[in-house]
Amino acid sequence: MRASRPLAAPGLALATAAWCVLLSPTAVEARRPNVLIIITDDQGYADAGFQGSERIPTPHIDALARAGVRFGSGYVSHPFCSPSRAGLLTGRYPQRFGHENNPAYLPADESVGLPVSELTLADVLQEAGYVTGLVGKWHLGAAPPFYPRRRGFDEFFGFLGGGHDYFEAAPPGGRRSGGRRSGDPPEEYTVALERNGRPVELDAYLTDVLTDEATAFVRRHHQRPFLLLLSYNAPHTPYQAPPRYRDRFADIPDGDCRTYAAMIAAVDAGVGRVLAALREFDLDRRTLIFFLSDNGGQLRYRCADNAPLRGGKGTVFEGGIRVPFLATWPGRLPAGVTYQQPVTALDIFPTAAAAAGVDRSGRPALDGVDLLPYLTGDRESAPHASLYWRFGNGAGWAVRQGRWKLVKQRRRRALFDLQSDIGERRNLAARHPALVRELTAAYRSWSEEMVGPRWPNPGREKAAPSDEKAKAVYGRDSVARALYAFAGI
Ligand code: CA
């Protein structure tokens, strides 16, 4: 399905691209922007300087926030990894196509992954003449039909599963030395990294390696419009970081929490290096950048901080779905402002497509909307009348309309006024029964448009190993126990 792409010289319209270009000839002379999406994994809502953290400084990400728009109500479409990423890449609620659970790591199972019927942002920009790259975590299926390079990415460096050890990987073409032992991390987490299908060695700290690859991508493709999805797996478990980052947090007494902070510091350093690469080629003003976490902070290990929000990863309270989220495009978007209307990661696809001048008329509607007119102030209304969440085929769900949010978590329904109660502490359901009925009906109507999960969530490991056992396996002071909790969510 790949159309041959013209070799793009800067400033030339890509007339042979299958997607029409909306821009006027004059506008086309101004080069179309690059699109850079930086995603972190399980980063706490408060765990960045621009979100108010005093514990974890993130000067480079903060600089991005100052140069653009911070989203005060920036959501993802799902409270855990894979469905959230499926929503981001398709611009559609992942429940529309049954992507409601995490896929198990099944390299031979062609039924578990982002359905091939879905078009990705990478497909669309690739077809429009962009060079497209994914660096880092995929987690949208491990069997061949789901490979990133079959889903619109020209280039892929990273791993296909839901996470990876930050120091260890199987050697190219082999397995980890010594065979597998009880208590070992899952194979998914130690497979060899790959570059475009070829296994490569992991010879440094994974977060730094992903940054190296991202900067190399920018250098390689600075003369063409590009889409780069830089998908860090930090600060997802296992909590692992080298001393040069951990030493910055000597004041954090708990070893795991010190490491968690160090992992975010490594991401921040990486963001700084990628931004420097953009500046090197004078691309910083010609790049639309999004930065966000794929879901809320994992609270189980008491290191992530989602304050002032309630709950965390795996819940549809705000702490599971409202994330650190910003967008920058110098000269096109305002700088240093917070946009308070609810937005969602589903909006990234249509926003990036519009910035690239792609005409989507006649194509199936997306659930996301183009945010550009809202962020520039051309439109003053809210981008979304309603936003919906559902996991476990309805085991938990939520709907937000304006200031109101109805949450169903376990058996209870609770109504919150987010304008006065961002922490979802005061359940107002008894006081507003008609509103509860109305929001319930809205949710049900939306949910009926969705389909059931196409596969079950992977089972959780029976029990996490003791710290001692984890240390015996790893031989490092970074406790690896958290690794084992990955499977369920
Ligand atoms: Ca995640």
Side-chain angles (χ1 to χ4, degrees):
M1 79 176 257
R2 301 285 163 256
S4 65
R5 222 176 6 253
L7 287 172
L12 290 185
L14 298 168
T16 57
W19 293 79
C20 333
V21 173
L22 276 179
L23 302 171
S24 68
T26 318
V28 169
E29 286 168 16
R31 211 184 95 163
R32 296 183 292 169
N34 307 303
V35 178
L36 168 62
I37 303 168
I38 304 171
I39 187 163
T40 56
D41 200 341
D42 296 6
Q43 183 176 4
Y45 185 70
D47 291 330
F50 81 101
Q51 292 289 90
S53 179
E54 294 177 358
R55 185 180 60 144
I56 309 174
T58 52
H60 299 291
I61 303 170
D62 300 352
L64 261 188
R66 282 196 301 277
V69 180
R70 182 185 88 88
F71 295 117
S73 300
Y75 291 100
V76 288
S77 61
H78 201 86
F80 50 85
C81 303
S82 180
S84 168
R85 290 151 190 269
L88 188 159
L89 270 184
T90 61
R92 307 211 308 146
Y93 282 114
Q95 297 89 347
R96 281 199 192 281
F97 43 89
H99 201 128
E100 191 163 343
N101 290 316
N102 276 341
Y105 183 71
L106 299 168
D109 189 334
E110 300 192 347
S111 68
V112 180
L114 177 65
V116 294
S117 53
E118 296 301 312
L119 201 63
T120 72
L121 172 62
D123 286 322
V124 167
L125 292 189
Q126 184 183 55
E127 208 168 340
Y130 276 59
V131 61
T132 54
L134 166 66
V135 172
K137 167 169 160 172
W138 175 239
H139 207 194
L140 293 173
F146 310 117
Y147 286 174
R149 290 201 302 152
R150 296 194 188 180
R151 309 311 301 272
F153 290 100
D154 296 314
E155 300 183 9
F156 169 51
F157 177 96
F159 49 93
L160 296 170
H164 204 283
D165 194 285
Y166 292 83
F167 291 107
E168 289 189 32
R175 291 174 174 273
R176 291 169 87 232
S177 57
R180 293 185 57 73
R181 291 173 290 180
S182 168
D184 274 2
E187 194 172 9
E188 173 181 9
Y189 274 48
T190 52
V191 293
L193 301 182
E194 66 166 277
R195 176 183 283 110
N196 299 329
R198 292 188 161 186
V200 293
E201 240 176 281
L202 174 59
D203 54 6
Y205 182 51
L206 180 55
T207 298
D208 294 341
V209 169
L210 299 183
T211 300
D212 290 343
E213 291 293 327
T215 55
F217 180 93
V218 171
R219 293 197 173 97
R220 210 158 47 240
H221 299 298
H222 67 93
Q223 291 184 313
R224 292 176 54 181
F226 61 74
L227 164 71
L228 174 59
L229 174 57
L230 174 51
S231 174
Y232 285 113
N233 57 318
H236 193 290
T237 54
Y239 290 162
Q240 297 171 328
R244 67 179 173 282
Y245 294 120
R246 295 187 81 232
D247 290 349
R248 300 184 190 180
F249 300 96
D251 56 326
I252 299 179
D254 180 276
D256 274 350
C257 295
R258 189 183 312 151
T259 304
Y260 170 84
M263 293 166 82
I264 293 173
V267 168
D268 185 67
V271 170
R273 287 175 52 208
V274 173
L275 297 182
L278 292 176
R279 281 195 298 272
E280 188 181 325
F281 296 102
D282 208 18
L283 296 178
D284 45 323
R285 294 183 67 80
R286 295 192 305 202
T287 304
L288 168 62
I289 304 177
F290 296 95
F291 174 93
L292 74 162
S293 177
D294 69 339
N295 50 253
Q298 168 64 274
L299 297 183
R300 192 176 301 162
Y301 311 108
R302 299 187 176 86
C303 293
D305 182 359
N306 291 328
L309 309 180
R310 176 174 177 177
K313 177 179 182 178
T315 79
V316 287
F317 290 115
E318 295 289 281
I321 53 177
R322 192 193 295 221
V323 294
F325 193 171
L326 62 83
T328 70
W329 189 6
R332 295 296 298 270
L333 296 182
V337 301
T338 295
Y339 184 76
Q340 290 292 9
Q341 297 281 9
V343 304
T344 161
L346 303 178
D347 299 331
I348 290 176
F349 183 145
T351 304
V358 171
D359 178 9
R360 297 206 74 259
S361 55
R363 292 279 174 166
L366 302 179
D367 292 306
V369 302
D370 169 15
L371 292 177
L372 296 175
Y374 297 93
L375 302 181
T376 55
D378 290 343
R379 281 197 183 176
E380 292 183 355
S381 57
H384 298 275
S386 308
L387 287 173
Y388 301 95
W389 295 267
R390 186 182 89 180
F391 70 88
N393 205 16
W397 53 262
V399 50
R400 177 166 180 184
Q401 288 185 356
R403 67 196 292 175
W404 298 104
K405 182 178 168 202
L406 186 69
V407 176
K408 191 250 184 183
Q409 188 84 24
R410 297 194 176 135
R411 292 188 181 171
R412 254 180 115 212
R413 277 182 296 174
L415 178 72
F416 300 108
D417 176 358
L418 293 177
Q419 196 163 298
S420 64
D421 179 26
I422 192 176
E424 297 173 295
R425 300 290 166 200
R426 292 185 295 280
N427 178 4
L428 304 176
R431 205 184 294 175
H432 300 285
L435 191 51
V436 170
R437 282 196 298 275
E438 192 183 312
L439 291 172
T440 302
Y443 165 74
R444 289 201 175 127
S445 167
W446 171 84
S447 187
E448 278 168 15
E449 288 179 27
M450 306 296 123
V451 300
R454 290 167 77 116
W455 57 81
N457 247 342
R460 292 189 194 193
E461 295 281 335
K462 285 179 188 142
S466 67
D467 289 1
E468 287 64 37
K469 189 167 184 179
K471 283 177 186 169
V473 171
Y474 279 83
R476 286 188 293 274
D477 63 348
S478 170
V479 174
R481 64 170 190 253
L483 175 65
Y484 296 84
F486 83 97
I489 52 171

